[in-house]
Amino acid sequence: MSRILLVSSNITTDPFPVYPLGMAVVASALAGAGHTVDQFDFLMAGESEEAFRDRITTFAPDFVCMSLRNLDNCDSLTATAYPVVAKRLVEVVRETRPVPVIIGGSAFSILPEELLAFTGADYGVVGEGERLVCQLVADLAEGRTSARILRNEGLLTGPEMISPLFSSELVEYYLKHSGMINLQTKRGCAHGCIYCSYPSLEGNRYRLREPAEVVDDMARAKLEHGADSYFFTDAVFNDDGGHYLAVVEEMLRRETSFRWCCYVRPEGIGRTEIALMKRAGMYAAELGTDAACDRTLRGLGKGFTFADALAVNRAFVAERVPCAHFVMFGGPGETLETVAEGLANLEQLENTVVFAFTGLRILPDT
């Protein structure tokens, strides 16, 4: 068995620091396969290269697995390119202990060939890493040759979505600096928004975790690490099939006292569902409205109208649950007239916050 250092290279803190859930899930898979694992978070280390060198020296890994979560900060006016950080961390590994570096994560999976060449890593994993990283480490440890980039031939199914291996020091840091840690109740997205990379990263159908397993993870994190506040990172929490309500009902059945928030599609959800979610501990929601008038909503392939978003906002307000809307101007069909219409529409949203952006990043396979 091997010693494997897992590294989160993500340093973004806007709008808040994000617990490296992908790293925790891959760490769990590797530990389950019998490897000795350690998790290093470059952000928690104060972006200190010296701290990274010290961890490499003291842990003495046989492999380094690095996650690259973001391509940039989604702001064309003050752009920040995060692959530069990953490239430097790979160089630190080379300078300190030249072992194979395996890179993955959502950003890497969008541009794998380009980022493997740019960062100088040895191998890359595209998409979900639980099986592929274990396979790659085993092959390399036993001297078997491997392709430099491994891709999932088929998407994982629900039962294979394993529980994360949470780190006490990371949980403490993220509870202090963002007030929450992350969990998934499902992967994939069944919607066809034309700008979104989720379907290519996780699949175009929902792959569901058992509700009891989700709540087990929450209870375990509370018992072992003191975590009591969560963000569900599902692309869409309120799926059409109602799996999200089964998760909510499991929390209610077990009389949990967790606080949580999630991403909500502003369609097909009303006061009844929101009241149930609030009883189970939901204290806020982020709404993926994404455009501000019907013409631009159609241009983005959203599949709902602004009237739907307005109705959902009113339902949240009526149930006294804070919500925020995220919208983008400048997509297909945008004109000066639709901007004016969109701004007028947004004025109708009461007791909420709107995060508005200009321009859309164009990504492969969207």
Side-chain angles (χ1 to χ4, degrees), residues 3 73 86 128 152 169 173 177 180 204 214 221 232 274 338:
R3 297 177 63 81
N73 60 345
E128 298 164 347
N152 282 288
E169 63 174 358
Y173 175 85
H177 289 87
M180 67 191 82
N204 58 7
V214 175
F232 290 121
I274 294 168
T338 61

Side-chain angles (χ1 to χ4, degrees), residues 163-331:
S163 298
L165 179 62
F166 286 120
S167 157
S168 290
E169 63 174 358
L170 266 66
V171 170
E172 180 181 2
Y173 175 85
Y174 283 95
L175 287 179
K176 179 180 179 180
H177 289 87
S178 67
M180 67 191 82
I181 61 175
N182 300 338
L183 276 177
Q184 273 186 312
T185 77
K186 58 182 164 305
R187 288 181 182 160
C189 186
H191 300 288
C193 308
I194 68 168
Y195 58 87
C196 184
S197 60
Y198 268 110
S200 64
L201 291 173
E202 295 188 353
N204 58 7
R205 60 185 178 88
Y206 293 124
R207 292 169 295 123
L208 312 174
R209 297 189 70 198
E210 286 294 328
E213 292 180 4
V214 175
V215 182
D216 284 347
D217 283 349
M218 301 171 80
R220 187 180 306 111
K222 171 67 173 179
L223 177 66
E224 297 177 359
H225 309 290
D228 60 1
S229 186
Y230 299 88
F231 195 112
F232 290 121
T233 63
D234 309 13
V236 176
F237 185 69
N238 57 317
D239 58 290
D240 294 340
H243 173 263
Y244 76 105
L245 294 176
V247 174
V248 168
E249 288 163 356
E250 179 68 10
M251 285 188 267
L252 290 170
R253 185 185 71 80
R254 290 161 64 164
E255 299 181 343
T256 61
S257 58
F258 305 121
R259 301 173 70 252
W260 54 273
C261 49
C262 58
Y263 296 121
V264 169
R265 177 178 170 90
E267 177 194 36
I269 185 171
R271 291 190 62 175
T272 300
E273 294 83 5
I274 294 168
L276 191 71
M277 295 159 73
K278 181 180 179 180
R279 280 179 51 212
M282 180 182 68
Y283 66 90
E286 296 187 2
L287 305 185
T289 307
D290 292 346
C293 72
D294 288 352
R295 195 189 318 177
T296 51
L297 284 165
R298 286 193 299 271
L300 294 180
K302 294 302 298 182
F304 57 80
T305 66
F306 190 81
D308 294 321
L310 184 59
V312 170
N313 186 86
R314 287 171 175 161
F316 272 97
V317 170
E319 294 301 326
R320 301 185 66 81
V321 176
C323 66
H325 295 256
F326 289 77
V327 299
M328 299 174 288
F329 288 93

